[in-house]
Amino acid sequence: MKMLTLEDRKELERMWSENAAPVKAAAALGISLCTVYAELKRGQTTDGEGEVVLDKNFRPAYSAERGQTVYQRNLRNRRRRPKREAEQKETKQA
């Protein structure tokens, strides 16, 4: 499984702004179509009210920097969660 780099995301952003089809972007980057759609959703830009911003092609705008930021935040958040306090006390008593 290939993880996208910031350069890959910038290439996707360039292709998306040039109105390239997601299938062509997937082929050019060597990733699956599902990955392209997930990345486009991850990097969607929104305005102050939470509404999705449209680009010049009237499609949801994509930002490579936002996609990278969201990816890194999700990566940090998927670490193991600490046990609840009650469970920790029970394990110490045993």
Side-chain angles (χ1 to χ4, degrees):
M1 183 167 91
K2 177 184 174 186
M3 298 294 175
L4 293 178
T5 63
L6 182 57
E7 290 75 29
D8 293 335
R9 288 182 171 90
K10 285 182 180 181
E11 180 65 17
L12 178 60
E13 181 177 15
R14 184 190 62 75
M15 293 175 76
W16 187 247
S17 68
E18 293 175 356
N19 208 18
V23 173
K24 292 190 184 232
L29 294 172
I31 57 177
S32 73
L33 185 58
C34 183
T35 303
V36 171
Y37 281 117
E39 184 58 35
L40 290 172
K41 184 153 181 73
R42 182 180 295 128
Q44 272 185 358
T45 56
T46 55
D47 61 7
E49 299 174 358
E51 297 292 323
V52 175
V53 176
L54 299 179
D55 63 7
K56 64 183 180 185
N57 303 311
F58 300 103
R59 301 189 300 183
Y62 173 76
S63 167
E65 287 78 19
R66 176 165 169 74
Q68 183 72 19
T69 302
V70 171
Y71 170 74
Q72 288 175 340
R73 184 183 65 219
N74 291 343
L75 196 62
R76 270 194 316 273
N77 289 340
R78 76 177 188 190
R79 62 176 165 62
R80 186 177 178 151
R81 300 280 183 234
K83 292 183 180 179
R84 289 185 293 176
E85 192 174 314
E87 292 176 357
Q88 289 176 351
K89 288 180 182 177
E90 291 175 7
T91 56
K92 287 181 182 178
Q93 291 176 356

